[in-house]
């Protein structure tokens, strides 16, 4: 009995040490000066734009995280001999209008970068995407959880991927009726177009969101979760909207995104998956030894937008992403000594003010109302 207890205690001690000694892994900076092309986009066969974003990898030690590629020539090609050029739109984006592609040929992307290197993807078939049945939400454990429902009555899709764009209306903690006029060196009242209390914020999905129905008798996706938002989040303060886009995938594309998800979202755990090689379907034909990151698919993208008002949710006190204090002074000199740091709010016998992030919503959003807002 004593020996058994000793063994159990020893095992417990070893496990405790393993958990206690976990340290984050910080990979050494890559010494190589090479950077590789990253291709992100979908060949949209339907009635919406086709958009590709080209960038290059950066060293883990680099300060800049974005490295867009400009000056490239990008074409969509069919195996029947037709081609459609994309127009450069800045920041590495290359865009075409609706292509309305036939589903019978196969399609690929051809890219020539400004350094003369040429890249092509494999030809891929157009895989139709079924419509999104609904986008909804549930309240669970103090969070709003957004989900998507879809199905294919022909049982032909089986592999799905989603991404989304969020927009929300919010306000700062304090409204300001004054602004500092640094030219006249005095406080003046804001005109209506200078109010910075109400704004619209936006964000995009960053995780890989996908599902497979290969293990089900029917091709039905039910309440696949897209995102989770705390009810106290600034996103839900007034009104929130999410635009969900749905893509049908081939089995190979689904496997690519599965590997990408493991490599980017599930590493770093003690018993987590090991990093895997990420092989896409784009190749550098000028030099086959140069890696290229990305996977090209072709489909008619389906989308659906919903709005969620704060009045439809359980009441919750908003937790702002900053700490605010309201202070007062007798002289406005502080606004001209430290321009832009402090913002006047109102005046009487004293001038009340706070830090800019507590008064000016344009730090994190825009005051103009989006065209789709309702």
């Amino acid at each position: 009995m004593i020996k058994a207890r000793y063994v159990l205690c020893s095992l417990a001690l070893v496990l405790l040490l393993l958990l206690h000694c976990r340290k984050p892994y910080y990979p050494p900076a890559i010494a190589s000066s090479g950077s590789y092309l990253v291709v992100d986009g979908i060949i949209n066969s339907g009635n919406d734009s086709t958009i590709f974003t080209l960038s290059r990898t950066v060293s883990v030690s680099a300060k800049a995280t974005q490295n867009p590629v400009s000056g490239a020539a990008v074409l969509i090609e069919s195996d029947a001999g037709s081609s459609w050029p994309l127009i450069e739109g800045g920041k590495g984006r290359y865009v075409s209008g609706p292509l309305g592609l036939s589903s019978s040929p196969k399609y690929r992307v051809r890219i020539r970068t400004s350094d003369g290197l040429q890249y092509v993807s494999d030809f891929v078939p157009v895989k139709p995407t079924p419509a999104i049945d609904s986008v909804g939400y549930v309240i669970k454990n103090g969070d709003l959880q957004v989900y998507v429902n879809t199905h294919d009555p022909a049982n032909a899709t089986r592999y799905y991927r989603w991404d989304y764009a969020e927009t929300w209306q919010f306000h700062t903690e304090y409204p300001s009726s004054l602004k500092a006029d640094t030219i006249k060196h005095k406080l003046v009242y804001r005109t209506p177009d200078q109010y910075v209390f109400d704004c619209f914020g936006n964000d995009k999905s960053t995780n890989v969101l996908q599902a497979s129905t290969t293990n089900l008798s029917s091709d039905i996706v039910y309440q696949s979760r897209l995102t989770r938002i705390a009810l106290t989040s600034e996103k839900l303060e007034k009104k929130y909207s999410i635009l969900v886009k749905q893509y049908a995938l081939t089995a190979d594309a689904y496997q690519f995104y599965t590997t990408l998800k493991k490599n980017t979202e599930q590493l770093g755990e003690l018993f987590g998956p090991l990093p895997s090689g990420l092989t896409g379907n784009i190749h550098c034909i000028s030099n086959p030894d140069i890696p290229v990151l990305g996977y090209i698919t072709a489909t008619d993208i389906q989308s659906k937008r919903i709005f969620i008002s704060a009045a439809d949710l359980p009441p919750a006190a908003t937790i702002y992403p900053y700490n605010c204090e309201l202070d007062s002074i007798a002289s406005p000199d502080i606004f001209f000594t430290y321009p832009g740091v402090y913002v006047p709010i109102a005046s009487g016998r004293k001038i009340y003010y706070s830090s800019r992030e507590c008064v000016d919503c344009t730090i994190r959003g825009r005051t103009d109302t989006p065209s789709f807002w309702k």
Side-chain angles (χ1 to χ4, degrees):
M1 180 67 69
I2 295 176
K3 185 176 181 180
R5 288 180 179 176
Y6 174 77
V7 171
L8 289 173
C9 290
S10 298
L11 289 173
L13 179 60
V14 170
L15 182 58
L16 180 63
L17 288 172
L18 282 172
L19 295 174
H20 179 71
C21 294
R22 284 181 62 191
K23 294 181 179 179
Y25 172 65
Y26 299 101
I30 299 173
S32 172
S33 60
S35 62
Y36 307 119
L37 185 67
V38 180
V39 183
D40 180 24
I42 304 287
I43 299 175
N44 191 341
S45 62
N47 297 318
D48 204 348
S49 300
T50 290
I51 302 174
F52 277 86
T53 302
L54 306 185
S55 60
R56 291 194 178 275
T57 57
V58 296
S59 167
V60 294
S61 62
K63 293 182 179 179
T65 57
Q66 303 293 325
N67 189 12
V69 171
S70 59
V74 182
L75 288 174
I76 306 297
E77 298 179 334
S78 75
D79 60 2
S82 300
S83 63
W84 299 262
L86 275 65
I87 305 302
E88 185 171 0
K91 297 183 179 180
R93 285 166 52 92
Y94 296 80
V95 183
S96 80
L99 299 175
L101 302 178
S102 169
S103 59
S104 52
K106 293 183 178 181
Y107 301 91
R108 72 179 179 184
V109 174
R110 178 181 294 273
I111 301 168
R112 187 183 67 229
T113 51
S114 59
D115 56 7
L117 294 178
Q118 292 200 49
Y119 305 81
V120 295
S121 68
D122 298 336
F123 281 109
V124 295
V126 173
K127 186 163 186 181
T129 299
I132 297 174
D133 292 332
S134 63
V135 177
Y137 65 91
V138 295
I139 307 300
K140 189 174 181 179
N141 299 326
D143 292 336
L144 180 143
Q145 299 185 8
V146 182
Y147 61 79
V148 61
N149 292 322
T150 189
H151 79 288
D152 181 1
N155 291 335
T157 303
R158 294 298 181 181
Y159 301 100
Y160 299 83
R161 185 173 72 87
W162 302 273
D163 58 33
Y164 60 81
E166 300 173 290
T167 307
W168 61 93
Q169 189 176 17
F170 70 98
H171 62 71
T172 55
E173 190 152 351
Y174 304 122
S176 169
S177 61
L178 298 174
K179 66 187 295 285
D181 189 328
T182 55
I183 298 176
K184 297 180 179 179
H185 204 78
K186 68 176 185 178
L187 300 182
V188 298
Y189 283 100
R190 294 180 183 271
T191 59
D193 63 325
Q194 295 173 336
Y195 291 152
V196 288
F197 181 60
D198 282 291
C199 272
F200 293 87
N202 59 80
D203 202 0
K204 293 184 178 180
S205 54
T206 56
N207 292 340
V208 176
L209 303 166
Q210 60 179 20
S212 169
T213 64
T214 54
N215 294 328
L216 303 177
S217 58
S218 298
D219 197 353
I220 299 174
V221 176
Y222 178 69
Q223 291 195 359
S224 183
R225 195 175 76 186
L226 299 173
T227 187
R228 181 172 57 191
I229 309 168
L231 290 175
T232 56
S233 170
E234 191 177 55
K235 291 182 178 181
L236 305 179
E237 184 176 52
K238 299 186 72 173
K239 183 179 283 188
Y240 169 86
S241 178
I242 184 169
L243 173 65
V244 179
K245 292 187 176 182
Q246 178 169 285
Y247 312 87
L249 298 177
T250 61
D252 289 341
Y254 182 83
Q255 184 56 51
F256 171 85
Y257 284 107
T258 299
T259 304
L260 178 64
K261 185 179 183 69
K262 290 179 179 178
N263 286 352
T264 57
E265 299 174 29
Q266 300 174 12
L267 295 179
E269 299 179 1
L270 182 62
F271 301 107
L274 296 175
S276 306
L278 192 64
T279 303
N281 63 351
I282 313 171
H283 319 281
C284 180
I285 58 176
S286 300
N287 184 349
D289 293 330
I290 297 178
V292 191
L293 303 180
Y295 200 100
I296 302 303
T297 60
T299 187
D300 53 332
I301 303 170
Q302 302 293 322
S303 63
K304 186 175 287 290
R305 178 185 293 281
I306 65 167
F307 291 84
I308 304 172
S309 296
D312 300 327
L313 303 175
T318 302
I319 298 177
Y320 293 94
Y322 43 78
N323 294 319
C324 289
E325 293 183 1
L326 186 64
D327 212 338
S328 64
I329 52 174
S331 170
D333 289 343
I334 187 174
F335 305 117
F336 307 108
T337 304
Y338 305 101
V341 177
Y342 302 105
V343 181
I345 294 174
S347 65
R349 291 186 176 181
K350 293 181 178 180
I351 301 171
Y352 291 90
Y353 71 95
S354 189
S355 55
R356 186 183 171 197
E357 61 267 20
C358 299
V359 180
D360 188 351
C361 65
T362 61
I363 293 178
R364 301 181 319 283
R366 300 170 59 93
T367 56
D368 51 315
T369 303
S371 59
F372 59 81
W373 202 254
K374 62 178 183 181

